[in-house]
Amino acid sequence: MLMYSNLSLELKENNTAFFHLEETDSTNLYLKRLAGEGFAQNAVIIADSQVSGKGRCGKSFFSPKGTGLYMSVLLHANCPFCDAVGVTTAVCVAVSEAIEEVCKKRVGIKWVNDLYFENKKVCGILCEAINDYKNGITKSVIIGVGINLSPCAFPDELKDIAGSLNVEKSLYSKLAHCIIRKILLIKFGSIDKSVLEEYRKRSIVLGKYVDYYVSGKKNTAIAIDIDSKGGLVIKNHNGEITTLTSGEITLRLNSTL
Ligand code: BTN
């Protein structure tokens, strides 16, 4: 807790609960359980390690002790579904900017919300909504951020794709603080123009050929823009333009359709 005492104080003043655990299953799950019990405050949790870190699309997130930052933020939104859609995009930019400010390293964004440094994924973001489907309301969102900060022994299946920012331990809490400050400033509603501009600037997919899947079938297209809702606009070999709103893409190494 000592490591995060400034952060804890600031959050208290902000009426936001703070938890720091040595280990948990998943910080997102921790906050989901808290929200399920009717916890009314916004909340932040940081864990030194996770035994069941969750990634997007049912994947896991490797979260060993001592080399990464694993944290989640619970925000009570109570807004129409459409106003929560842009949160992922805004978080991506907030985390990228915080990394640059604190660690002096510039990361790129791979749509939707993976951050890359020196061609390796160093950060994953998992935003989950707690919805009231009857009334079309997003009651709360849980924003999970996992960053590989120091080199570690990745399992074989991650060795070629995952990397670390390689930053000093003394910066871990500073970075957490900066990210949380920025996340707490995010407004629900349409995505700010400046956020979209920054997202586009940092995109490592725009202008590149990408593979994506529709009903299990692989397709290839060129990524041409990020739309106002954070969707990826793509053009296929027939010149047809469509927008991907979710799912996963992979960057193609060769540039043919
Ligand atoms: C992804 O890469 O697909 C998203 C990974 C998100 C990982 C973070 S670590 C903190 C929070 N808790 C989790 O279980 N997942 C997120």
Side-chain angles (χ1 to χ4, degrees), residues 79-118:
C79 65
F81 290 161
C82 57
D83 283 352
V85 170
V87 167
T88 295
T89 309
V91 171
C92 239
V93 170
V95 176
S96 304
E97 290 183 338
I99 289 173
E100 192 154 349
E101 269 173 54
V102 176
C103 312
K104 313 292 174 217
K105 313 234 168 170
R106 187 170 174 87
V107 290
I109 301 174
K110 175 178 166 277
W111 187 87
V112 184
N113 47 12
D114 289 338
L115 303 186
Y116 274 66
F117 180 65
E118 294 177 341

Side-chain angles (χ1 to χ4, degrees), residues 110-163:
K110 175 178 166 277
W111 187 87
V112 184
N113 47 12
D114 289 338
L115 303 186
Y116 274 66
F117 180 65
E118 294 177 341
N119 298 319
K120 297 268 174 85
K121 175 170 166 175
V122 293
C123 168
I125 294 167
L126 175 66
C127 295
E128 301 184 278
I130 299 175
N131 289 326
D132 169 356
Y133 289 101
K134 206 167 122 207
N135 297 303
I137 296 285
T138 293
K139 293 200 311 193
S140 313
V141 293
I142 294 166
I143 298 162
V145 180
I147 313 179
N148 306 326
L149 290 174
S150 304
C152 67
F154 287 110
D156 283 348
E157 67 276 16
L158 295 178
K159 265 184 189 139
D160 294 337
I161 43 176

Side-chain angles (χ1 to χ4, degrees), residues 5 16 83 125 159 177 214 218 227 239:
S5 48
T16 299
D83 283 352
I125 294 167
K159 265 184 189 139
H177 202 145
V214 176
K218 185 162 127 183
D227 77 2

Side-chain angles (χ1 to χ4, degrees), residues 29-214:
L29 281 176
Y30 187 96
L31 290 185
K32 206 180 267 182
R33 287 190 291 266
L34 207 64
E37 289 160 9
F39 195 79
Q41 266 184 304
N42 289 338
V44 170
I45 175 172
I46 298 179
D48 297 340
S49 65
Q50 300 181 115
V51 288
S52 316
K54 290 203 309 163
R56 291 177 60 252
C57 309
K59 291 188 185 153
S60 57
F61 189 80
F62 182 60
S63 317
K65 188 178 166 80
T67 57
L69 183 59
Y70 318 111
M71 61 186 193
S72 301
V73 181
L74 168 68
L75 297 178
H76 295 296
N78 290 313
C79 65
F81 290 161
C82 57
D83 283 352
V85 170
V87 167
T88 295
T89 309
V91 171
C92 239
V93 170
V95 176
S96 304
E97 290 183 338
I99 289 173
E100 192 154 349
E101 269 173 54
V102 176
C103 312
K104 313 292 174 217
K105 313 234 168 170
R106 187 170 174 87
V107 290
I109 301 174
K110 175 178 166 277
W111 187 87
V112 184
N113 47 12
D114 289 338
L115 303 186
Y116 274 66
F117 180 65
E118 294 177 341
N119 298 319
K120 297 268 174 85
K121 175 170 166 175
V122 293
C123 168
I125 294 167
L126 175 66
C127 295
E128 301 184 278
I130 299 175
N131 289 326
D132 169 356
Y133 289 101
K134 206 167 122 207
N135 297 303
I137 296 285
T138 293
K139 293 200 311 193
S140 313
V141 293
I142 294 166
I143 298 162
V145 180
I147 313 179
N148 306 326
L149 290 174
S150 304
C152 67
F154 287 110
D156 283 348
E157 67 276 16
L158 295 178
K159 265 184 189 139
D160 294 337
I161 43 176
S164 91
L165 281 171
N166 208 352
V167 301
E168 281 177 31
K169 295 248 182 259
S170 61
L171 292 180
Y172 282 29
S173 61
K174 251 191 199 164
L175 180 61
H177 202 145
C178 187
I179 291 172
I180 289 162
R181 249 194 212 140
K182 286 180 187 289
I183 287 179
L184 293 177
L185 289 175
I186 292 173
K187 300 267 173 291
F188 292 91
S190 52
I191 308 173
D192 278 357
K193 277 209 173 91
S194 59
V195 168
L196 275 172
E197 218 168 278
E198 189 59 31
Y199 188 102
R200 290 184 184 116
K201 266 194 216 155
R202 287 181 183 269
S203 171
I204 59 167
V205 306
L206 290 182
K208 307 256 173 62
Y209 287 88
V210 296
D211 289 333
Y212 64 102
Y213 291 83
V214 176

